[in-house]
Amino acid sequence: MTSILTGRGLTSTEPTAPPARGVLSRLLRRRDARAGLVILTLVVVAVVAGPWFAPHEPDAAEFGRVLSGPSASHWLGTDQFGRDQLARLLDGGRRSLEATALVLAISVAAGLVVGTVAGVAGGLVDVVAMRAVDLALAVPGVVLTLALLGALGPGFGNLVIALAATTWPPYARLARGHVRAGRDRPDVVTARLAGASRPRAAAAHLLPGAAAHVLVVAALDVGQTIMAITGLSFLGLGAQPPHAEWGVMLADSRLYLTEASWLLLAPSAAIVVVILAAVLLGEAAAEASDPRRVR
Amino acid sequence: MLSLARRAGQALATALLASLVVWALLPFAPGDPAARYLEARHVTAPTAEQLAQARADLGLDRSPPEQYARWLGGVVRGDLGESARSGVPVTRVITERVPATLRLTVATVLLALVVSVPLALAGAAFPGRWPDAVGRAVALLGAASPSFVVGLLLIEFVVVRWGVGSVVSTGGWSQVWFPALALALYPIARWSRLLRAGLLEALRSDHVTVATARGASRARVLLVHALPNAAVPSITVLAMTIGFLLGGVAIVENVFSWPGLGREIVLAVTARDLPVVQGFALVMAVVWVAVSLLADVVTALVDPRLRTGSRG
């Protein structure tokens, strides 16, 4: 029906098209997915655009207003240096979410490249790539992250590296499986017969489907990644003070539990809401991409 | 029996892979390992000869495979090196901290089972009705609440405000339940949903229909006929979650000042005390391999279909 408008009718209705097609529309029809998406979008807009509108700087100390509760000028109160908590929440959220996006982007890209290359090339390349995956999966994820941080040293950049190093292996395995399963699909064979090289045929016909599969799994990992970044920063192994970051803010709040509980509540709520939205969206994406899944 | 031997072989291979990963961290240690080795022996300004001697002592002049074999030999004999901070043998640092962490893990698994099984049963007994909705809400909140957030909220509102329990822990059984609760939320979320899905699937199977037709009560059908079938696949998930807990203790133990491995590892990571970090990672990896092996053995023992045939 849409072929007149898009001119793609023939290919888009091919029975051999990757199963991921239509996932997005099926996803957006779900209430939980829409809720998750709306919350995440609002938070991203807030942390990106918020600082332009916020009346206070995230690291401007005001020693006359140390540990003051929520008020008209400081909606979420101030911390132990009189810094505006709302400005720090926005600035810290940007840092937490940027790191999450970075970890997942690196992992998805690395997993797709390694998995697709291994699946297409086969032979020795495949064996070496998959043993590398086995190697990275032999140690439980969080433990390996901690061990890598111990080797590289604590810090926000190293935390992103350590988390990406433990996140990509399952993606590579998934992409490889997809590529190998689809090697003899009619559209791939046709492309090869039409003269496309193996890498070209794989990139055009197998990579999109592999990417869709990997992205769905990555969507499920968003919540875990935010948890890891804020949690390890909370332990002092990631973002370092004076930079605001949700985990760092929680660590700071520990010293003022009795007199300033707003310092604890605001970052806690932010973390839980964002992860909740990510979980809703991730699970909806997993279910939408697999209609057989039992609800 | 044959498949068990093969599975054990796999477990050993995974443990060896893990040891290779852990060993490969060593070159990242800050500074010259020979200088550090001498410093721990109170040689602050080493001469070139002393350094060369130390290098030979440590086997640093050999090829990497030889160094790995030498290191692994030490590990097998229980020699994990010495802490770069204190010079105390890593094996002792770890064994001193294991009991507290073990208590925390056991309490967490118990708590998670006690909460998640009834939630799953209620959800499967009344799918789509309010007990199921409660189960889903608990699962969602559990999956979205990081252990350190829950831990801090527990400390703030239960320990500090109400004066229940104590902020400083000695690592005993009486104080284990708050940290265990913080750590258990995630397994509760995972297990209750998975077990519920398994129960619903089991309820649709033929033997359950037959049992219902023969007049078994709803409760009996659920507990006697559906639960065992649904529980078998959950054992594997249980083992996987324990791998997750092994990392999670690092965060929760720091929130509650719990004197276990998790707190030790964070101190070691902060100071880049690599021998302790390596020891921790190795112990955790071996525990994980052992737990998944155990889960497979138990699954095979419980499920008659898996007892003899060869599995994927």
Side-chain angles (χ1 to χ4, degrees), chain A residues 155-184:
Chain A
F156 212 37
N158 286 346
L159 176 60
V160 169
I161 294 172
L163 276 174
T166 55
T167 311
W168 72 272
Y171 301 167
R173 200 175 261 181
L174 200 67
R176 172 185 175 272
H178 186 90
V179 167
R180 287 187 73 87
R183 272 191 307 188
D184 297 330

Side-chain angles (χ1 to χ4, degrees), chain A residues 71-93:
Chain A
S71 63
S73 61
H74 298 277
W75 291 358
L76 293 176
T78 60
D79 69 1
Q80 69 273 25
F81 298 115
R83 296 176 297 196
D84 181 56
Q85 181 77 355
L86 178 59
R88 287 184 74 70
L89 197 69
L90 293 174
D91 189 45

Side-chain angles (χ1 to χ4, degrees), chain B residues 24-68:
Chain B
L25 295 173
L26 202 57
F28 290 103
D32 178 6
R36 241 181 307 125
Y37 172 79
L38 288 173
E39 207 169 306
R41 277 152 194 75
H42 307 292
V43 184
T44 41
T47 61
E49 286 141 47
Q50 277 175 314
L51 277 174
Q53 182 60 41
R55 224 159 257 144
D57 286 352
L58 292 167
L60 293 172
D61 48 355
R62 316 244 186 109
S63 68
E66 272 180 286
Q67 287 188 40
Y68 171 66

Side-chain angles (χ1 to χ4, degrees), chain B residues 134-167:
Chain B
V134 170
R136 182 165 159 79
V138 170
L140 254 181
L141 264 181
S145 308
S147 54
F148 57 101
V149 170
V150 179
L152 284 178
L153 292 175
L154 278 173
I155 289 183
E156 160 76 4
F157 290 100
V158 182
V159 179
V160 174
R161 294 271 169 92
W162 295 351
V164 181
S166 134
V167 185

Side-chain angles (χ1 to χ4, degrees), chain B residues 44-307:
Chain B
T44 41
T47 61
E49 286 141 47
Q50 277 175 314
L51 277 174
Q53 182 60 41
R55 224 159 257 144
D57 286 352
L58 292 167
L60 293 172
D61 48 355
R62 316 244 186 109
S63 68
E66 272 180 286
Q67 287 188 40
Y68 171 66
R70 196 184 138 116
W71 177 82
L72 191 64
V75 167
V76 171
R77 287 193 305 271
D79 173 15
L80 290 164
E82 290 159 9
S83 161
R85 286 166 299 163
S86 57
V88 176
V90 172
T91 320
R92 203 167 83 214
V93 175
I94 288 178
T95 44
E96 272 171 9
R97 301 296 185 139
V98 162
T101 296
L102 200 61
R103 269 195 287 275
L104 178 56
T105 324
V106 168
T108 305
V109 172
L110 281 180
L111 201 62
L113 281 176
V114 164
V115 178
S116 60
V117 172
L119 272 181
L121 285 171
F126 308 98
R129 306 250 301 278
W130 70 264
D132 195 22
V134 170
R136 182 165 159 79
V138 170
L140 254 181
L141 264 181
S145 308
S147 54
F148 57 101
V149 170
V150 179
L152 284 178
L153 292 175
L154 278 173
I155 289 183
E156 160 76 4
F157 290 100
V158 182
V159 179
V160 174
R161 294 271 169 92
W162 295 351
V164 181
S166 134
V167 185
V168 185
S169 25
T170 54
W173 278 110
S174 59
Q175 291 167 327
V176 82
W177 300 106
F178 285 139
L181 180 60
L183 202 51
L185 277 187
Y186 181 77
I188 287 173
R190 284 286 309 270
W191 297 353
S192 64
R193 290 319 276 180
L194 268 161
L195 190 60
R196 172 192 167 276
L199 281 168
L200 285 178
E201 206 178 309
L203 284 176
R204 279 195 297 269
S205 63
D206 290 342
H207 80 278
V208 169
T209 316
V210 172
T212 317
R214 289 173 62 190
S217 69
R218 274 180 69 101
R220 191 179 154 78
V221 164
L222 199 62
L223 291 173
V224 179
H225 296 282
L227 186 59
N229 277 25
V232 172
S234 308
I235 297 173
T236 312
V237 180
L238 205 137
M240 279 167 58
T241 319
I242 286 175
F244 178 84
L245 290 185
L246 294 178
V249 293
I251 290 177
V252 169
E253 286 186 2
N254 275 279
V255 174
F256 287 91
S257 339
W258 189 257
L261 275 180
R263 221 162 59 130
E264 189 61 37
I265 181 64
V266 172
L267 294 175
V269 169
T270 310
R272 294 181 75 182
D273 182 350
L274 216 53
V276 174
V277 173
Q278 284 180 310
F280 168 83
L282 202 60
V283 167
M284 290 306 194
V286 169
V287 169
W288 196 37
V289 167
V291 168
S292 13
L293 178 62
L294 191 70
D296 280 3
V297 171
V298 170
T299 307
L301 286 179
V302 174
D303 190 339
R305 284 168 304 181
L306 302 177
R307 233 167 254 163

